[in-house]
Amino acid sequence: MPSEPLIRWPWVTAHLDEIGAALGQHLFLTVIAVAAGLAISAALALLAHRYRRAEAPITWLAGVVYTIPSLALFVLLIPVTGLSTLTSEIGLVGYTLLILIRNILAGLDGVPRDVLEAADAMGLTRRQRLFQVELPLALPIVMAGIRIATVTTIGLVTVTALIGQGGLGQLMLAGFINLFPTEIYVGALLSIALAVVVDAGLLLLQRALTPWARGGGGRR
Amino acid sequence: MARHVSEDPFRGLALPTSANRPAGAPHRAATVAFDHVTKRYGRRDDGPTAVDDLSFFVPAGATCVLVGPSGCGKTTSLKMVNRLIEPTQGRILIDGQDISTQDPTRLRRGIGYVIQQVGLFPHQTIAENVAVVPRLLGWSARRRRDRVEELLRLVGLEPGQHMNRYPADLSGGERQRVGVARALAADPPLLLMDEPFGAVDPIVRARLQDELLRLQRELGKTILFVTHDIDEAIKMGDLVAVMRQGGTLAQFATPAELLTQPASDFVARFVGADRALKRLTLRRVAELPLEPAPIVGLGESMGAVRARSGGRTPRWLLLVDRQRLPVGWVDGSTLPDAAAVDAAAAIRPSPLLGRETTLRDALSLLLDAAVRAGIVVDEAGRPVGLATIDAITALLHEQNDLTDGRDDPDAAPGPPDVTAGPTASGSRDDGDAPRGGRSPRAPRG
């Protein structure tokens, strides 16, 4: 097929619904994975922050999960949870944990000692200190972790096409099977675009949430 | 533990505290007592001793400076007062109440705390930072806002300009002012300050010190102040606790007593060989007997001056301009009677001294300029007299004068008050009272 163009636009316009649905599923799988990953990571990171002895086992476990090749993990899960959204989400969430836990801990550890001392000395309770001082100050690094986790997840979602999920990955897979470049390129370009747009959106969100962290270029 | 700390072992002593201030300005200030406080680190309390059997009493409204070399336990002592560190043995009492029986969170909300790195919350605006404790105490937004504006003005920051900025936008000196405002926010009766001015440059430090002294004259808080700088201790303290390695108290005394009667060789060495000079830090130009300044106005003729002084005209005359501001010295003996004195005849004037200038600064300025006398000027800059090196050294020789004149610099210099002299410490009723000077006194000439 030497004359086959990279993208047949008539096919694209004829299949906008299908493409939109794939994009929607891709975003849905990503958001669920990052949200669930963040909830689990936050709980584990706070545990490790509060009880320092828990830090090593928690990061070790997250590290082990992270080292399993993604396809292998999905295949291992199929006998347990089948070819389901749950299977893909378990894998996707698993891969966010290491990044998120590490960044939450780094963010909390990065809070300056003098700020913590001042918080204690002014009579903030432990909980007030955590929610009013430590977590807000950890936010830039936590947000950086969320951005990495999200972009990584957007990439991994395409792999879940192999277990019947996959969003834009489905398009790419179908394209490979049918030797139809248009589907491959539409899927690939849209997943790249999705990653770039979501990353930029998160960056803007981070700036809005941490007005104190930028500027500051004034006197010191 | 059964040992009794007298409520006020200093009763009857003429201490320079709010108690001695003019009536009509009610101050909320607390007393602080260390009662045989020891802090050891290590699992079974057999570790290194940071603070060793520390006892002293700070009356309400006094500034007590803990000073000593690094590792002497001064910061540890300070942090035990708001229970950031718990003592191994002994008790600390605030207003007679054992703090170990109080909820640490509640206790801390009632104690202002200022540290060298300031520790402002980077993610909160200046207004939010200052209002942290009021917010914890549940003040209304309106009351917090009013208090923030009041406090920022008090520490010399324009509220409109600073309230909505973040700490990163401020200079080091400005941040430290915000730190002081934050500590004062809920009007605590006690302030703890740990090397508060250690991280700013010397010029800003001197200004912040002066401002704290001014603030303290207004507020009359009890302040515990930690520094390693003996000059700062002498400048800021009504009382100075000198600590040494191992966390023992080497001497607890007024700055004047510390300088005239160091309790041990250690204190003498720590205070420094320039004790006599340092003592001049405690005195102000206003305490000197001033010599009258022979004045000649711009355009006035020498004849008129000679006629005015009745023939006993000094050789050197101070030329002043039409606003009566000093221009310089003129040599009257070289000028004919008829000539009007003009500015070209003047050589540059001696250093100008304010009445509030410390004698140490005054002496340094005079030696620097290689002149015998400095011109003392009033607030408007007009000369009121001459302060001479002789007058300063004469004051320096009053070795036994322990009156601390800082609190009342406008008082006319009078005979030393013997009741506040060194014998006063022997007149305490309670021989056990926690006051320093355990080592035998070794007064050095």
Side-chain angles (χ1 to χ4, degrees):
Chain A
M1 44 170 197
S3 62
E4 179 66 27
L6 292 185
I7 294 179
R8 281 180 186 273
W9 291 106
W11 184 90
V12 174
T13 46
H15 294 80
L16 277 179
D17 286 358
E18 199 182 316
I19 296 168
L23 185 65
Q25 192 198 19
H26 205 113
L27 192 60
F28 175 77
L29 288 170
T30 304
V31 169
I32 297 294
V34 174
L38 186 61
I40 296 169
S41 301
L44 291 175
L46 290 179
L47 194 71
H49 184 63
R50 178 78 174 77
Y51 305 99
R52 282 283 147 177
R53 296 163 71 173
E55 181 175 346
I58 285 171
T59 49
W60 176 83
L61 200 68
V64 167
V65 174
Y66 196 75
T67 54
I68 302 174
S70 53
L71 200 50
L73 181 63
F74 292 130
V75 169
L76 285 174
L77 283 170
I78 288 172
V80 187
T81 48
L83 290 172
S84 65
T85 308
L86 185 60
T87 305
S88 52
E89 286 297 353
I90 289 174
L92 295 172
V93 167
Y95 289 115
T96 65
L97 296 182
L98 185 69
I99 299 165
L100 291 174
I101 289 173
R102 281 216 178 142
N103 277 56
I104 294 170
L105 281 175
L108 292 172
D109 288 344
V111 178
R113 284 248 9 107
D114 54 300
V115 171
L116 295 177
E117 188 183 323
D120 287 340
M122 281 189 291
L124 273 76
T125 61
R126 204 176 190 111
R127 178 182 296 249
Q128 285 169 333
R129 190 180 91 170
L130 179 66
F131 285 101
Q132 296 176 20
V133 179
E134 295 182 87
L135 286 176
L137 286 178
L139 201 57
I141 297 178
V142 174
M143 284 299 292
I146 291 174
R147 284 170 59 199
I148 299 170
T150 304
V151 172
T152 307
T153 304
I154 288 173
L156 272 176
V157 165
T158 56
V159 177
T160 63
L162 295 168
I163 54 166
Q165 306 289 321
L168 295 166
Q170 288 283 17
L171 284 182
M172 284 147 72
L173 193 61
F176 283 124
I177 292 168
N178 304 328
L179 297 176
F180 183 42
T182 299
E183 274 193 288
I184 300 175
Y185 282 106
V186 167
L189 291 175
L190 278 180
S191 61
I192 292 169
L194 184 64
V196 170
V197 168
V198 169
D199 191 47
L202 286 171
L203 181 62
L204 290 177
L205 179 66
Q206 174 187 337
R207 294 233 173 123
L209 289 176
T210 59
W212 48 274
R214 80 195 125 108
R219 290 168 295 157
R220 279 211 170 243
Chain B
M1 201 52 76
R3 292 191 94 151
H4 174 68
V5 170
S6 157
E7 260 305 295
D8 185 1
F10 287 82
R11 197 172 292 127
L13 266 182
L15 272 171
T17 69
S18 64
N20 299 349
R21 286 197 183 83
H27 294 310
R28 222 158 67 82
T31 63
V32 178
F34 274 67
D35 179 20
H36 299 280
V37 174
T38 293
K39 174 65 185 178
R40 277 187 292 271
Y41 287 104
R43 196 169 297 234
R44 293 193 324 280
D45 293 339
D46 55 357
T49 304
V51 174
D52 189 9
D53 196 30
L54 189 63
S55 292
F56 62 82
F57 179 87
V58 183
T63 300
C64 173
V65 181
L66 305 177
V67 65
S70 51
C72 72
K74 52 192 191 293
T75 292
T76 304
S77 302
L78 193 77
K79 287 183 177 176
M80 287 194 283
V81 177
N82 63 359
R83 297 187 63 184
L84 290 178
I85 296 176
E86 298 287 352
T88 312
Q89 279 162 28
R91 301 181 304 162
I92 296 170
L93 301 99
I94 296 178
D95 273 339
Q97 300 278 317
D98 185 347
I99 59 167
S100 68
T101 63
Q102 296 170 41
D103 172 49
T105 304
R106 287 260 300 279
L107 176 78
R108 290 167 187 166
R109 290 175 188 177
I111 300 176
Y113 191 66
V114 183
I115 52 176
Q116 180 176 330
Q117 308 85 348
V118 195
L120 294 180
F121 297 163
H123 62 299
Q124 294 187 355
T125 63
I126 301 310
E128 289 168 331
N129 265 288
V130 172
V132 167
V133 177
R135 195 170 44 77
L136 292 173
L137 295 174
W139 292 18
S140 71
R142 156 133 214 117
R143 190 174 166 208
R144 291 203 304 260
R145 196 193 153 80
D146 290 348
R147 182 66 178 154
V148 166
E149 290 187 6
E150 180 189 353
L151 281 165
L152 288 180
R153 280 201 194 91
L154 192 69
V155 299
L157 296 173
E158 182 48 49
Q161 217 178 79
H162 291 93
M163 282 203 349
N164 297 318
R165 299 168 77 187
Y166 289 100
D169 300 330
L170 268 53
S171 71
E174 287 171 331
R175 279 202 286 264
Q176 198 49 272
R177 285 160 204 258
V178 175
V180 172
R182 180 177 68 175
L184 291 169
D187 200 23
L190 172 63
L191 283 186
L192 306 179
M193 310 184 92
D194 190 357
E195 306 244 7
F197 310 137
V200 291
D201 67 69
I203 295 166
V204 175
R205 184 183 315 143
R207 208 166 59 222
L208 290 174
Q209 287 170 343
D210 291 340
E211 282 176 26
L212 182 62
L213 287 171
R214 171 184 63 80
L215 260 181
Q216 172 64 350
R217 273 200 291 274
E218 255 174 70
L219 302 174
K221 304 284 181 195
T222 305
I223 300 179
L224 254 65
F225 189 111
V226 162
T227 180
H228 63 269
D229 177 358
I230 185 68
D231 291 313
E232 186 169 60
I234 287 163
K235 181 175 180 183
M236 304 306 291
D238 298 315
L239 294 163
V240 179
V242 182
M243 297 178 69
R244 61 188 301 171
Q245 260 105 5
T248 57
L249 188 63
Q251 188 167 6
F252 187 75
T254 63
E257 193 181 346
L258 202 67
L259 292 170
T260 47
Q261 297 186 297
S264 64
D265 282 349
F266 168 77
V267 176
R269 273 201 315 277
F270 188 75
V271 170
D274 57 341
R275 288 207 302 282
L277 275 179
K278 285 199 170 84
R279 225 157 56 236
L280 290 177
T281 312
L282 304 174
R283 314 295 291 264
R284 308 269 166 177
V285 165
E287 297 170 59
L288 285 178
L290 300 185
E291 285 182 14
I295 299 235
V296 53
L298 207 57
E300 205 178 356
S301 78
M302 274 312 297
V305 177
R306 294 207 173 95
R308 180 148 51 80
S309 60
R312 299 185 54 228
T313 315
R315 180 175 165 196
W316 290 97
L317 299 163
L318 181 60
L319 179 64
V320 296
D321 65 12
R322 309 221 185 277
Q323 279 81 49
R324 298 194 60 75
L325 302 178
V327 176
W329 292 99
V330 291
D331 186 347
S333 66
T334 64
L335 296 173
D337 271 5
V341 181
D342 69 36
I347 60 168
R348 79 192 164 82
S350 308
L352 301 181
L353 310 172
R355 281 191 268 229
E356 286 287 310
T357 308
T358 67
L359 291 189
R360 186 178 183 166
D361 290 346
L363 184 62
S364 168
L365 286 165
L366 295 187
L367 293 175
D368 236 23
V371 293
R372 192 189 63 86
I375 302 158
V376 182
V377 295
D378 61 15
E379 285 69 20
R382 301 194 175 98
V384 294
L386 300 179
T388 63
I389 290 189
D390 291 345
I392 295 173
T393 48
L395 208 69
L396 193 55
H397 284 120
E398 296 170 22
Q399 288 288 349
N400 296 321
D401 179 8
L402 285 183
T403 48
D404 183 347
R406 281 178 306 159
D407 241 35
D408 190 7
D410 295 327
D417 179 3
V418 289
T419 60
T423 52
S425 56
S427 70
R428 279 177 284 123
D429 304 330
D430 183 356
D432 239 347
R435 200 178 184 212
R438 310 148 167 241
S439 335
R441 288 243 159 82
R444 293 150 68 90

